[in-house]
Amino acid sequence: GDSVTQTEGPVTVSESESLIINCTYSATSIAYPNLFWYVRYPGEGLQLLLKVITAGQKGSSRGFEATYNKETTSFHLQKASVQESDSAVYYCALGDSGGSNYKLTFGKGTLLTVTP
Amino acid sequence: EAAVTQSPRSKVAVTGGKVTLSCHQTNNHDYMYWYRQDTGHGLRLIHYSYVADSTEKGDIPDGYKASRPSQENFSLILELASLSQTAVYFCASKQGANYAEQFFGPGTRLTVL
């Protein structure tokens, strides 16, 4: 079936250091895989951080980037220099814009703590 | 203005009691979803709906019912709440079958004692 595997947390990074959260996916029942990173800040709901719907393309937002790599079935999240305000739980998710699969499939989430 | 709202934001319920979680969306979206999130798990789909007056089972529907009385409103009902249903519940909406992105509400933290 469809699945998403991402870096097990928690992850602790010092402010201004670089970050990578790995995400790989399996899209066996999805006609047109779309990939997402959602973020959940403390006390808040899920917000869309970035999305990519075309293989080979890169999405970016708030200094974060992720490239949809169909060959390696990966969608790793990267940031060159993190800030304390980036502390949150990050979820990689897989969806289908072809209409054959109605839901998002989520990874377990990665808790990121950025220390000053 | 928030497009997907949930009420209540937090609730404490007793085992065996009935709990209703409500969701309202102003996105004019066809699809609505209920997920639960537990520590160590990703979001898991409980029920969803793609049209008013119709609901579908998701991956973990046992112990839950859903109701979609209008396009804007989608409720999750726990007829007999159990300890194992303590979790954070998220509602989401999606434009249509050919769109993958979902828009989430702020979540409801449910504690069953």
Side-chain angles (χ1 to χ4, degrees), chain A residues 4-19:
Chain A
V4 174
T5 302
Q6 62 181 99
T7 300
E8 292 273 344
V11 172
T12 302
V13 179
S14 298
E15 198 167 30
S16 79
E17 295 292 305
S18 64
L19 169 72

Side-chain angles (χ1 to χ4, degrees), chain B residues 12-78:
Chain B
V12 178
V14 295
T15 303
K18 182 176 181 179
V19 176
T20 300
L21 307 182
S22 300
C23 179
H24 178 79
Q25 57 108 352
T26 57
N27 294 324
N28 199 33
H29 286 172
D30 293 327
Y31 283 70
M32 294 187 75
Y33 299 83
W34 277 107
Y35 293 90
R36 67 176 280 173
Q37 206 255 316
D38 302 273
T39 303
H41 289 89
L43 276 72
R44 294 182 288 174
L45 182 64
I46 306 170
H47 285 288
Y48 71 102
S49 168
Y50 55 84
V51 67
D53 294 322
S54 179
T55 64
E56 305 293 333
K57 294 180 178 179
D59 297 327
I60 54 165
D62 292 347
Y64 302 93
K65 292 183 179 179
S67 174
R68 182 95 181 267
S70 63
Q71 187 191 39
E72 299 80 17
N73 295 294
F74 191 38
S75 298
L76 185 68
I77 303 148
L78 290 67

Side-chain angles (χ1 to χ4, degrees), chain A:
Chain A
D2 305 319
S3 65
V4 174
T5 302
Q6 62 181 99
T7 300
E8 292 273 344
V11 172
T12 302
V13 179
S14 298
E15 198 167 30
S16 79
E17 295 292 305
S18 64
L19 169 72
I20 182 166
I21 299 176
N22 291 326
C23 172
T24 57
Y25 67 90
S26 172
T28 57
S29 71
I30 292 178
Y32 298 94
N34 291 188
L35 292 166
F36 304 89
W37 279 101
Y38 282 86
V39 59
R40 185 183 176 199
Y41 296 103
E44 299 183 17
L46 274 77
Q47 304 174 22
L48 180 66
L49 179 60
L50 56 86
K51 67 178 180 182
V52 180
I53 63 174
T54 303
Q57 299 295 310
K58 180 170 70 177
S60 61
S61 174
R62 308 180 211 175
F64 290 89
E65 297 181 338
T67 299
Y68 179 170
N69 189 320
K70 188 175 181 180
E71 286 67 40
T72 60
T73 62
S74 66
F75 190 56
H76 307 319
L77 183 68
Q78 301 183 72
K79 190 173 186 182
S81 177
V82 297
Q83 303 170 348
E84 255 190 285
S85 59
D86 294 326
S87 296
V89 182
Y90 293 81
Y91 297 91
C92 185
L94 169 68
D96 180 14
S97 60
S100 63
N101 188 314
Y102 50 85
K103 67 177 183 179
L104 286 176
T105 299
F106 285 87
K108 292 183 178 181
T110 302
L111 174 61
L112 171 67
T113 301
V114 179
T115 58

